[in-house]
């Protein structure tokens, strides 16, 4: 199966976004996802990045990008300014996990979060074999990883429950980017390498 | 340095007979603006960029004069073929603002009504007055809308003001190291600078020209103070530390520390050519700048009138106009769903960073301007 720009979660996210929506992409890198959403879905997009090289690349890509540190919140954005706030493969690198999730649902109607699932069976096997996992979705050695939070799909759902966040949709992918075809959470937790969630909260 | 200099350039002068009614209530019955242009205006007249200058700047933005090869423009490092303000692609216009002392009508110009220098009678000019004067120059040059208005510091405030006053005439605004209005601390620094000039016995109430003198001491102090606020603490520490000009303390009040020597040199140099009345006017224009005043302080409401796309940039070590001040502008633009990008550039030169050549900083401006469709 081929995926947009080699990122299966991008296809899932694009499927949830409607034409004309306002999308904020946190940790947007060079703006690849936003550019894709602008070109294919006609969204109005804004990205947030901390890294200088990505700021330059995103401006080159013609993306609206704001340099900032997610750990410090999203003060420059007003309440409910976006339809979707995306955090793709970044939540595990943020220390203030609850803070960023709160902020996402303050500035956006819906949060879209994707992250690598540490309970994926290959990751578990790697740990049982005595080594930290390195995989398609966890491509770093333990000593150079930007990841600071290690959690599983079930851990994340427990946090959402504790925070009163509503999981509107869950889309779990294996290492090849194919959807894990099960509704049983324990199975999905074991078989899924990358999880993508749509979240909202009661107002 | 990538790209090239624009080479030898010439200044031009435009005379305007239509009176300009100023925000202060004053009127300039007629005035001159000196300006320079680099590059070629295309047939559609869609490739013009206006560069607005800061407190002590002028129309000589780039290149040099054929008979003064050492007189290089104040922002030469960013303008030229292959540089971010690429003269192979854009037609760049720089001018000296009203009230200036580099050729445009200002306090040291002769007032035709009296045959004497304007001096103290020159009206207070505001940023918006400059923008209106610049618009008349644009009319004269046949430019309906700017591809971009670009400026740093007080120049960035003019770019922002353009986007509010003439939304249909600015397609992009590049606002660097600016703020939506001055803080109390900013105004306080300006007032100390003004007091230095106003209390100089050679000031003569602003009419020092008639006394064949200039308030050099006051202007020198004003510049020394200003200069401290343009640099960062770290940069001063690195550049001067506590280095002494001679190896031991002399226990006196002459120049001892290198930083004193540097500041006095900067002050003397500036006081040698700049006009004190212009300095007073420029600092007042800064103090009065606050476009949101029209909307009871609601910057978001003010920026709702803009139509341009924006690049906002700030510098991490700028404590005169901090990144937080630029972010106020970004936030208000985002609230209006404007296209805006914001870069917070890590450069060690304080407020003066906007004049420096840095690969990332210039790369950001270059990337943004290259995406402008002509």
């Amino acid at each position: 199966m081929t995926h947009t720009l080699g990122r299966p979660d991008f296809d899932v996210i694009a499927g949830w976004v409607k034409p004309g929506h306002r999308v904020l992409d946190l940790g947007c890198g060079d703006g690849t996802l936003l550019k894709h959403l602008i070109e294919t879905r006609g969204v109005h997009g804004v990205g947030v990045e901390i890294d200088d090289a990505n700021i330059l690349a995103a401006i080159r890509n013609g993306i609206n990008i704001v340099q900032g540190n997610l750990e410090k919140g999203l003060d420059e954005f007003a309440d409910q300014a976006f339809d979707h706030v995306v955090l793709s493969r970044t939540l595990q690198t943020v220390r203030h996990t609850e803070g960023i999730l709160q902020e996402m649902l303050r500035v956006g109607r819906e949060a879209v979060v994707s992250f690598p699932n540490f309970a994926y069976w290959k990751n578990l096997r790697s740990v049982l074999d005595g080594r930290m996992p390195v995989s398609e979705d966890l491509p770093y050695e333990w000593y150079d990883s930007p990841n600071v939070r290690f959690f599983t799909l079930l851990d994340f759902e427990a946090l959402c429950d504790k925070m009163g966040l509503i999981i509107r949709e869950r889309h779990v992918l294996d290492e090849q980017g194919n959807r894990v075809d099960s509704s049983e959470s324990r199975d999905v937790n074991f078989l899924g390498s990358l999880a993508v969630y749509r979240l909202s909260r009661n107002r | 340095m990538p790209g090239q200099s624009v080479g030898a350039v010439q200044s031009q002068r435009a005379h305007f007979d239509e009176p300009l009614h100023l925000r202060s209530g004053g009127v300039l019955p007629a005035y001159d603006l000196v300006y320079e242009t680099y590059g070629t205006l295309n047939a559609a007249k869609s490739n013009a960029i206006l560069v607005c200058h800061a407190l002590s700047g002028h129309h000589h933005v780039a290149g040099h004069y054929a008979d003064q090869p050492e007189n290089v423009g104040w922002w030469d490092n960013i303008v030229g073929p292959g540089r971010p303000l690429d003269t192979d692609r854009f037609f760049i216009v720089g001018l000296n603002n009203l009230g200036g002392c580099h050729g445009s009508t200002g306090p040291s110009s002769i007032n035709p009504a009296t045959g004497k220098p304007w001096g103290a009678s020159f009206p207070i000019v505001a940023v918006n007055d400059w923008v209106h004067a610049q618009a008349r120059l644009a009319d004269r040059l046949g430019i309906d809308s700017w591809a971009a208005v670009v400026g740093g510091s007080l120049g960035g405030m003019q770019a922002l003001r353009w986007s509010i006053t003439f939304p249909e005439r600015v397609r992009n605004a590049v606002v660097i190291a600016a703020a939506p209005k001055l803080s109390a601390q900013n105004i306080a620094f300006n007032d100390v600078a003004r007091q230095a000039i106003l209390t100089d016995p050679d000031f003569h109430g602003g009419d020092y020209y008639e006394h064949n003198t200039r308030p050099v001491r006051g202007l020198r102090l004003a510049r020394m103070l200003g200069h401290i606020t343009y640099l960062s603490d770290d940069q001063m520490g690195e550049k001067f530390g506590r280095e002494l000009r001679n190896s031991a303390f002399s226990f006196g009040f002459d120049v001892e520390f290198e930083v004193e020597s540097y500041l006095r040199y900067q002050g003397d140099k500036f006081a040698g050519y700049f006009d004190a009345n212009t300095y007073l006017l420029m600092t007042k224009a800064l103090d009065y700048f606050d476009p949101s005043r029209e909307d009871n302080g609601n910057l978001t409401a003010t920026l709702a009138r803009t139509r341009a796309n924006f690049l906002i940039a700030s510098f991490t070590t700028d404590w005169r106009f901090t990144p937080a001040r630029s972010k106020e502008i970004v936030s208000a633009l985002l609230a209006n769903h404007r296209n805006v990008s914001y870069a917070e550039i890590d450069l060690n030169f304080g407020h003066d960073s906007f004049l420096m050549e840095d690969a990332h900083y210039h790369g950001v401006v270059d990337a943004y301007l290259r995406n402008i469709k002509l």
Side-chain angles (χ1 to χ4, degrees):
Chain A
M1 187 169 174
T2 56
H3 301 286
T4 304
L5 315 160
R7 290 281 303 265
D9 51 333
F10 283 7
D11 289 331
V12 177
I13 295 167
W16 290 342
V17 171
K18 296 208 166 40
H21 268 175
R22 294 183 45 75
V23 178
L24 177 66
D25 187 3
L26 304 177
C28 68
D30 64 2
T32 300
L33 172 63
L34 281 174
K35 194 170 179 169
H36 174 64
L37 295 176
I38 291 163
E39 285 168 1
T40 62
R41 313 294 283 169
V43 304
H44 180 90
V46 181
V48 176
E49 249 298 329
I50 192 167
D51 177 68
D52 281 349
N54 280 331
I55 292 289
L56 184 56
I59 291 175
R60 223 171 248 146
N61 273 329
I63 300 298
N64 292 318
I65 188 158
V66 173
Q67 192 156 20
N69 182 351
L70 300 181
E71 301 281 12
K72 293 185 176 166
L74 303 171
D75 285 349
E76 54 272 58
F77 301 98
D79 295 356
Q80 299 296 293
F82 294 91
D83 297 297
H84 295 278
V85 181
V86 178
L87 188 67
S88 77
R89 303 191 195 221
T90 303
L91 186 64
Q92 75 280 2
T93 69
V94 178
R95 276 183 192 285
H96 299 99
T97 313
E98 289 180 75
I100 192 65
L101 290 171
Q102 301 276 19
E103 276 289 83
M104 288 174 78
L105 285 166
R106 176 183 66 81
V107 304
R109 202 163 48 76
E110 283 191 7
V112 176
V113 180
S114 75
F115 58 86
N117 174 28
F118 281 76
Y120 176 49
W121 67 272
K122 280 193 189 173
N123 297 341
L124 297 180
R125 193 181 69 183
S126 180
V127 173
L128 284 174
D129 286 345
R131 300 294 301 273
M132 286 299 279
V134 177
S135 69
E136 184 77 18
D137 294 310
L138 285 170
Y140 301 98
E141 293 289 350
W142 65 273
Y143 51 80
D144 68 358
S145 173
N147 300 334
V148 297
R149 297 283 182 230
F150 304 89
F151 55 100
T152 70
L153 201 143
L154 293 182
D155 287 332
F156 180 72
E157 293 186 7
L159 177 64
C160 290
D161 190 45
K162 177 190 157 237
M163 292 177 65
L165 308 183
I166 300 158
I167 296 171
R168 301 177 68 88
E169 225 168 316
R170 175 179 77 189
H171 199 113
V172 182
L173 303 159
D174 64 19
E175 242 182 314
Q176 284 69 48
N178 297 314
R179 185 164 192 177
V180 175
D181 197 16
S182 170
S183 56
E184 187 61 48
S185 283
R186 288 189 62 85
D187 292 349
V188 174
N189 198 39
F190 191 65
L191 298 172
S193 175
L194 186 73
V196 197
Y197 283 87
R198 250 177 82 194
L199 309 171
S200 66
R201 74 179 337 150
N202 285 324
R203 294 191 191 281
Chain B
M1 175 182 342
Q4 292 161 351
S5 164
V6 294
V9 300
Q10 286 181 319
S11 333
Q12 300 175 72
R13 176 175 295 274
H15 179 75
F16 297 85
D17 274 324
E18 190 191 342
L20 187 67
H21 293 266
L22 305 169
R23 189 176 158 205
S24 60
V27 180
L28 279 174
Y31 55 93
D32 284 4
L33 293 176
V34 290
Y35 65 99
E36 291 182 6
T37 70
Y38 323 111
T40 310
L41 188 61
N42 64 10
K45 300 185 174 180
S46 64
N47 68 333
I49 292 182
L50 175 66
V51 176
C52 302
H53 69 75
L55 198 142
S56 61
H58 44 69
H59 55 292
H60 185 35
V61 180
H64 62 269
Y65 299 125
D67 57 347
Q68 298 170 45
E70 73 295 341
N71 188 351
V72 175
W74 58 270
W75 216 4
D76 186 73
N77 61 24
I78 208 167
V79 180
R83 290 185 183 165
L85 275 71
D86 191 342
T87 48
D88 284 340
R89 191 155 179 258
F90 294 111
F91 177 67
I92 316 281
V93 179
L95 83 164
N96 185 213
N97 279 324
L98 285 175
C101 56
H102 290 88
S104 291
T105 300
S108 54
S109 310
I110 301 296
N111 178 355
T114 62
K116 292 195 291 189
W118 280 90
S121 63
F122 195 87
I124 295 271
V125 283
V127 169
N128 208 16
D129 300 324
W130 289 335
V131 167
H132 279 94
Q134 291 160 1
R136 289 188 184 174
L137 180 64
D139 294 342
R140 186 74 59 88
L141 296 172
I143 297 161
D144 285 338
S145 93
W146 299 101
V149 180
V150 180
S153 188
L154 179 55
M157 294 170 175
Q158 290 160 63
L160 186 64
R161 187 70 246 191
W162 256 99
S163 73
I164 299 161
T165 302
F166 295 111
E168 71 291 351
R169 299 191 72 172
V170 188
R171 304 205 297 285
N172 293 273
V174 178
V175 180
I176 304 170
K181 61 185 172 205
L182 264 59
S183 67
Q185 189 194 48
N186 296 147
I187 294 169
F189 276 121
N190 281 346
D191 194 48
V192 176
R194 282 192 295 268
Q195 286 301 317
I197 294 168
L198 295 168
T199 57
D200 186 322
D202 288 332
F203 184 64
H204 296 288
D207 292 321
Y208 44 86
Y209 316 98
E210 295 169 36
H211 295 80
N212 291 316
T213 184
R214 301 170 63 243
V216 171
R217 284 166 292 180
L219 187 56
R220 175 175 178 267
L221 281 177
R223 184 58 170 184
M224 287 171 74
L225 174 72
H227 211 88
I228 297 168
T229 70
Y230 304 149
L231 306 180
S232 72
D233 191 16
D234 283 351
Q235 176 200 8
M236 284 180 104
E238 272 170 35
K239 199 167 174 176
F240 309 108
R242 292 178 50 85
E243 289 297 311
L244 298 166
R245 298 194 74 196
N246 303 311
S247 51
F249 288 165
S250 57
F251 299 102
F253 298 112
D254 279 341
V255 174
E256 266 194 278
F257 291 94
E258 284 294 350
V259 66
E260 297 174 318
S261 165
Y262 173 80
L263 276 181
R264 291 182 194 193
Y265 169 76
Q266 291 293 335
D268 286 337
K269 193 174 79 167
F270 187 74
Y273 71 85
F274 208 81
D275 181 64
N277 280 320
T278 291
Y279 202 87
L280 295 176
L281 285 177
M282 297 284 162
T283 58
K284 284 308 274 189
L286 272 165
D287 291 1
Y288 289 131
F289 181 73
D290 177 12
S292 73
R293 203 177 158 84
E294 295 157 19
D295 301 281
N296 301 312
N298 183 345
L299 187 64
T300 301
T302 306
L303 295 185
R305 298 201 280 286
T306 65
R307 289 291 170 267
N309 301 326
F310 292 83
L311 173 64
I312 313 289
S314 70
F315 298 95
T316 49
T317 57
D318 184 351
W319 57 279
R320 180 110 186 191
F321 298 142
T322 61
R325 307 308 314 281
S326 283
K327 277 189 156 181
E328 292 173 29
I329 302 171
V330 172
S331 190
L333 290 169
L334 285 167
N336 283 299
H337 302 181
R338 292 291 168 269
N339 286 314
V340 54
S341 280
Y342 169 65
E344 199 166 295
I345 294 156
D346 194 12
L347 257 181
N348 200 20
F349 303 102
H351 186 57
D352 265 355
S353 295
F354 85 90
L355 294 167
M356 300 300 166
E357 191 187 338
D358 171 75
H360 176 61
Y361 165 38
H362 279 192
V364 162
V365 176
D366 186 86
Y368 183 84
L369 293 178
R370 260 176 225 293
N371 275 334
I372 295 178
K373 290 182 183 64
L374 300 180

